[in-house]
Amino acid sequence: FYLAEFPMQWIETGFSFITQKTRAVLPDNFFTSLLTNGILAGLSGIVVFVPQIALLFGFISLLEDSGYMARVSFIMDKLMRKVGLNGRSVIPLISGMACAVPAIMSTRTISNKKERLVTILITPLMSCSARLPVYTLLICIMIPSSYRLGFFDVKGLLLTALYLLGIIVAILVAAVLKYILKTKERSFFMMELPVYRIPQAKTVFLTMFEKVKVFLLDAGKVIMIISIILWFLTSYGPKKEFAAIDKNYTKAFAQANTDSLKQELTTAMETQKLQASYAGHLGKIIEPVIKPL
């Protein structure tokens, strides 16, 4: 996460610059909003996770190419058997820490159908890199900076606990699925243990490239479509409600005499429009279901 933070910031800054320049050049209309808030925002949300995915799979590739990862699978096989899996499930679960999409695709190496399905079902329970900003935000809201436990920062401990919780829950779910999913197919774990050797840079970079390519082309298409749909749902709503909000704030903007007040009014107007949008209405429909949370 520390190493990936720098290129992630560069990517975010680059997309922010492109978005600002695009808005400055093009007229304020539907297509400009689609391009900046839909397409460019979607691309930014995809590309920004490439450094974390590339680095994690780079490190995994170093372990694989050195001959150690095969031994990890072999060592973990006994433990994984107790929850209905085998040693091959370890690699996808570790990969799930970066992104569940290439991790789930890598389960194709598991020959047993039941074990492959269980691995696919529990991989999303691992805390992928996309959840890190969410964890950070929630921890910052809930835990004051002054909280310490000895020489440990409580925020750091809580973040670690969230990652451990994902791993523990994944193991528990696998143990439950072991008894729910039935199969007559017998499970065998056969793996050739390669000799230890110095990893080859070419192999490492090719693995990183392939994993990033899978994420960008396979997951990227889905993320882009969802991003555009979300942009539409959050930007538009019933015309009468939007017109009423515009009418109310036109008077307020005319009376505002400072830039800070105008900024506050803009934020308030955008908040009201979000509540009145199609996404806002959908949120209100499902609110009774999620209210207990």
Side-chain angles (χ1 to χ4, degrees):
F1 291 133
Y2 174 74
L3 289 173
E5 190 178 334
F6 302 103
M8 285 175 81
Q9 285 177 351
W10 300 335
I11 291 165
E12 284 178 342
T13 305
F15 272 99
S16 179
F17 176 78
I18 293 165
T19 303
Q20 286 174 2
K21 287 294 179 185
T22 305
R23 282 178 184 154
V25 172
L26 298 176
D28 186 14
N29 56 28
F30 172 86
F31 294 105
T32 303
S33 181
L34 170 63
L35 181 61
T36 55
N37 298 327
I39 296 170
L40 285 175
L43 277 172
S44 174
I46 298 162
V47 179
V48 76
F49 291 113
V50 165
Q52 285 183 343
I53 291 165
L55 281 169
L56 183 85
F57 282 109
F59 289 128
I60 288 174
S61 182
L62 283 172
L63 292 172
E64 283 179 339
D65 210 36
S66 67
Y68 183 70
M69 195 57 98
R71 286 161 175 84
V72 170
S73 298
F74 181 75
I75 292 164
M76 292 296 290
D77 183 61
K78 190 176 180 181
L79 175 66
M80 301 305 276
R81 291 259 170 213
K82 292 177 181 178
V83 293
L85 300 172
N86 71 36
R88 289 188 188 275
S89 300
V90 173
I91 312 302
L93 292 175
I94 294 171
S95 305
M97 292 287 189
C99 179
V101 177
I104 287 170
M105 293 185 77
S106 69
T107 60
R108 65 184 67 178
T109 58
I110 303 168
S111 57
N112 185 283
K113 191 178 178 181
K114 178 186 172 181
E115 290 171 355
R116 186 165 64 248
L117 179 60
V118 173
T119 308
I120 287 168
L121 291 171
I122 67 169
T123 296
L125 293 169
M126 309 301 281
S127 295
C128 72
S129 56
R131 292 179 204 173
L132 187 64
V134 182
Y135 288 167
T136 308
L137 182 67
L138 290 173
I139 291 168
C140 288
I141 290 168
M142 293 166 63
I143 308 295
S145 300
S146 57
Y147 275 35
R148 300 191 72 81
L149 193 67
F151 56 86
F152 288 110
D153 189 328
V154 174
K155 288 183 178 180
L157 287 173
L158 196 55
L159 183 66
T160 308
L162 286 168
Y163 272 86
L164 288 172
L165 181 66
I167 296 166
I168 292 163
V169 171
I171 291 167
L172 290 173
V173 171
V176 172
L177 291 173
K178 176 184 176 181
Y179 297 102
I180 294 172
L181 300 174
K182 302 293 181 183
T183 182
K184 291 179 181 179
E185 187 181 0
R186 293 191 67 184
S187 174
F188 297 97
F189 179 62
M190 296 175 69
M191 180 176 276
E192 182 185 351
L193 295 181
V195 295
Y196 281 121
R197 63 175 185 176
I198 296 169
Q200 295 180 323
K202 184 182 176 183
T203 307
V204 173
F205 284 114
L206 275 173
T207 304
M208 289 167 70
F209 175 77
E210 285 300 320
K211 294 295 184 182
V212 168
K213 185 180 169 186
V214 165
F215 174 72
L216 288 175
L217 297 181
D218 291 18
K221 286 182 283 190
V222 179
I223 295 168
M224 178 60 74
I225 291 164
I226 292 170
S227 179
I228 292 168
I229 291 167
L230 282 174
W231 159 78
F232 178 79
L233 292 174
T234 54
S235 300
Y236 295 92
K239 287 184 179 180
K240 286 184 179 179
E241 292 183 40
F242 268 49
I245 293 168
D246 284 330
K247 188 178 179 181
N248 291 336
Y249 279 94
T250 301
K251 294 177 183 176
F253 275 113
Q255 294 171 357
N257 51 12
T258 62
D259 288 339
S260 60
L261 186 58
K262 286 178 180 177
Q263 185 61 48
E264 284 178 21
L265 286 169
T266 302
T267 305
M269 184 177 72
E270 286 174 355
T271 303
Q272 278 198 21
K273 281 190 171 182
L274 183 61
Q275 289 174 350
S277 68
Y278 295 121
H281 284 289
L282 285 169
K284 286 167 189 171
I285 290 167
I286 65 167
E287 191 175 1
V289 181
I290 61 171
K291 198 170 185 180
L293 293 172

